[in-house]
């Protein structure tokens, strides 16, 4: 069970890496090569600092397994949504307390079967760990067991699978619905299995100042925000896998959405984009997202003082008068 939610913990690091502070001003393009080097070093140091959270104490798992001795053959559960860093922290607390979906022991003839409900479209992940059970004592050993793990849809089609002792099975993009997890023990063995399903939503939604996790859907994704007064608005958008990104901003005009900025194309670098926006409803359009990726996005705004707006308007009028005099 030592890596039951290692994937979720590691993915949480991207939030820290993706949104470092950028100096206030015009759009800033930083050196991509140097940033990649910095991130690798930061990942290494942060993983070391989180090893205590990733490790699951065997006593916790044994305790949970004993409680679930009379568990049904089929369990029903809802995947946990990963939407912000706070969600990752909450799951880490569950790991520390040994709060997993645990079934044990299973044998070659008795599989773990669980129905997992996914509330939205997106990326479905199931982290799991398997350890052998001493059949003479009924206690879980420290030896990992290589189990066969499969996720199937309502028609019985396999959408993700793995064969490992500790792993995370990932269905990169699936629709809202119920999916079946099946875990099979090695031949002539008894195994204790712990699993924890979670997901990243691909649905359109609202942006805020808190970084939000968004799963790619193979097409466009729309994240909405509003401006109450003329402001300087900034947006952050980062790919977890380092894929290149395309994005632009649209403003609602009547019943239509009108593009008001150029489409920006960049690699996964720390670029914060700034825009002077008037009062209205807007959306950040993330173009051509990859279903194998997920993103973190957020926005913020700084009110532009009225005297600065008037000064800018007066300057434009003055420039216009000067142009007329020249001709």
């Amino acid at each position: 069970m030592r890596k039951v939610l290692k994937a979720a913990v590691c993915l949480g690091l991207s939030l820290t890496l993706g949104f470092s502070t950028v100096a206030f001003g015009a759009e800033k393009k930083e050196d991509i090569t140097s940033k990649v080097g910095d991130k690798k070093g930061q990942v290494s140091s942060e993983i070391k600092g989180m090893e205590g959270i990733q490790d699951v104490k065997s006593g916790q798992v044994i305790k949970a397994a004993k409680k679930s001795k009379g568990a049904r053959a089929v369990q029903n559960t809802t995947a946990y949504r990963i939407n912000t860093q706070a969600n990752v922290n909450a799951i880490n607390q569950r790991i520390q307390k040994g709060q997993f979906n645990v079934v044990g022991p299973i044998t070659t003839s008795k599989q773990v079967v669980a129905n997992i409900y996914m509330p939205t479209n997106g990326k479905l992940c199931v982290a799991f760990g398997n350890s052998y059970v001493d059949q003479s004592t009924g206690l879980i050993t420290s030896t990992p067991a290589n189990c066969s793990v499969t996720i199937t849809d309502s028609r019985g089609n396999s959408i993700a699978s793995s064969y490992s002792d500790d792993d995370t099975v990932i269905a990169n993009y699936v629709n809202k619905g119920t999916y079946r997890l099946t875990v099979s023990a090695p031949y002539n063995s008894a195994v204790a299995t712990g699993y924890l399903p979670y997901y990243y939503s691909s649905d359109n939604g609202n942006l805020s100042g808190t970084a939000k996790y968004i799963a790619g859907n193979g097409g466009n994704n729309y994240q909405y925000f509003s401006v109450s007064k003329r402001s300087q608005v900034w947006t952050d958008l980062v790919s977890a896998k380092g894929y290149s990104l395309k994005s632009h901003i649209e403003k609602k005009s009547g019943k239509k959405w009108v593009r008001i900025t150029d489409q920006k194309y960049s690699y996964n670098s720390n670029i914060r984009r700034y825009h002077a926006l008037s009062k209205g409803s807007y959306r950040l359009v993330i173009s051509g997202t990859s279903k194998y990726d997920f993103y973190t996005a957020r926005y913020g705004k700084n009110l532009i003082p009225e005297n600065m707006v008037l000064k800018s308007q007066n300057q434009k009028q003055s420039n216009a008068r000067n142009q007329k005099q020249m001709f």
Side-chain angles (χ1 to χ4, degrees):
M1 297 286 181
R2 61 191 180 280
K3 293 188 286 184
V4 171
L5 202 59
K6 182 175 181 180
V9 174
C10 291
L11 292 182
L13 295 178
S14 67
L15 182 62
T16 305
L17 300 179
F19 296 129
S20 61
T21 303
V22 181
F24 187 90
E27 178 180 354
K28 183 179 179 182
K29 296 184 178 180
E30 302 187 35
D31 185 277
I32 295 172
T33 306
S34 65
K35 278 295 172 187
V36 170
D38 291 343
K39 288 182 180 181
K40 286 180 179 177
Q42 190 172 356
V43 169
S44 177
S45 64
E46 293 198 24
I47 287 178
K48 277 190 175 183
M50 301 184 78
E51 283 177 350
I53 297 177
Q54 293 174 14
D55 291 339
V56 179
K57 304 299 182 183
S58 59
Q60 294 174 332
V61 179
I62 292 171
K63 185 178 179 181
K66 285 181 177 178
K67 282 185 177 180
S68 63
K69 188 175 181 180
R72 294 178 298 166
V74 178
Q75 295 187 352
N76 297 301
T77 186
T78 299
Y80 188 93
R81 181 170 184 172
I82 299 294
N83 190 36
T84 64
Q85 182 67 48
N87 300 143
V88 176
N89 295 340
I91 289 187
N92 285 333
Q93 289 182 4
R94 290 183 62 179
I95 290 178
Q96 290 178 306
K97 295 177 181 179
Q99 296 174 343
F100 303 100
N101 296 304
V102 180
V103 177
I106 63 171
T107 61
T108 307
S109 59
K110 183 182 179 183
Q111 299 173 319
V112 170
V113 180
N115 294 322
I116 300 173
Y117 177 65
M118 185 167 176
T120 70
N121 299 338
K123 184 190 295 287
L124 174 62
C125 310
V126 182
F128 67 92
N130 308 300
S131 295
Y132 284 107
V133 173
D134 186 326
Q135 297 188 53
S136 63
T137 63
L139 296 177
I140 299 174
T141 70
S142 59
T143 306
N146 285 317
C147 292
S148 175
V149 181
T150 305
I151 301 177
T152 53
D153 61 18
S154 59
R155 296 182 179 181
N157 299 316
S158 176
I159 59 172
S161 62
S162 179
Y163 181 75
S164 179
D165 57 332
D166 283 309
D167 207 345
T168 300
V169 182
I170 300 173
N172 280 299
Y173 178 74
V174 295
N175 293 324
K176 171 184 176 180
T178 300
Y179 297 85
R180 176 155 288 192
L181 171 70
T182 304
V183 184
S184 302
Y187 176 71
N188 199 28
S189 300
V191 173
T193 295
Y195 66 95
L196 190 56
Y198 59 99
Y199 72 97
Y200 302 89
S201 175
S202 292
D203 289 357
N204 303 326
N206 298 317
L207 280 184
S208 70
T210 301
K212 176 183 182 182
Y213 290 89
I214 305 163
N217 59 11
N220 291 350
N221 183 274
Y222 304 92
Q223 297 296 319
Y224 300 85
F225 62 94
S226 61
V227 176
S228 57
K229 293 183 179 180
R230 184 172 179 82
S231 304
Q232 183 184 58
V233 174
W234 53 262
T235 57
D236 288 335
L237 177 62
V238 177
S239 157
K241 291 185 176 294
Y243 292 165
S244 56
L245 295 168
K246 290 181 180 179
S247 66
H248 64 271
I249 291 178
E250 294 178 348
K251 183 177 183 180
K252 192 169 187 180
S253 177
K255 294 184 178 180
K256 294 182 179 180
W257 288 94
V258 181
R259 181 188 292 189
I260 61 169
T261 68
D262 294 334
Q263 187 175 66
K264 300 293 184 179
Y265 180 84
S266 67
Y267 291 100
N268 181 28
S269 56
N270 289 336
I271 297 177
R272 173 168 289 181
R273 299 195 172 100
Y274 294 90
H275 312 278
L277 303 180
S278 57
K279 179 180 178 180
S281 298
Y282 297 87
R283 66 182 184 182
L284 174 67
V285 182
I286 311 171
S287 307
T289 63
S290 169
K291 65 180 182 179
Y292 300 103
D293 200 1
F294 74 92
Y295 310 86
T296 40
R298 67 179 177 181
Y299 94 111
K301 52 194 173 185
N302 300 294
L303 184 66
I304 299 177
E306 199 64 34
N307 61 340
M308 289 184 63
V309 175
L310 292 173
K311 184 177 179 182
S312 175
Q313 292 174 345
N314 292 336
Q315 185 63 44
K316 288 180 180 179
Q317 292 173 358
S318 176
N319 290 340
R321 286 195 296 270
N322 292 335
Q323 288 290 331
K324 282 184 177 181
Q325 292 176 0
M326 291 176 65
F327 297 95

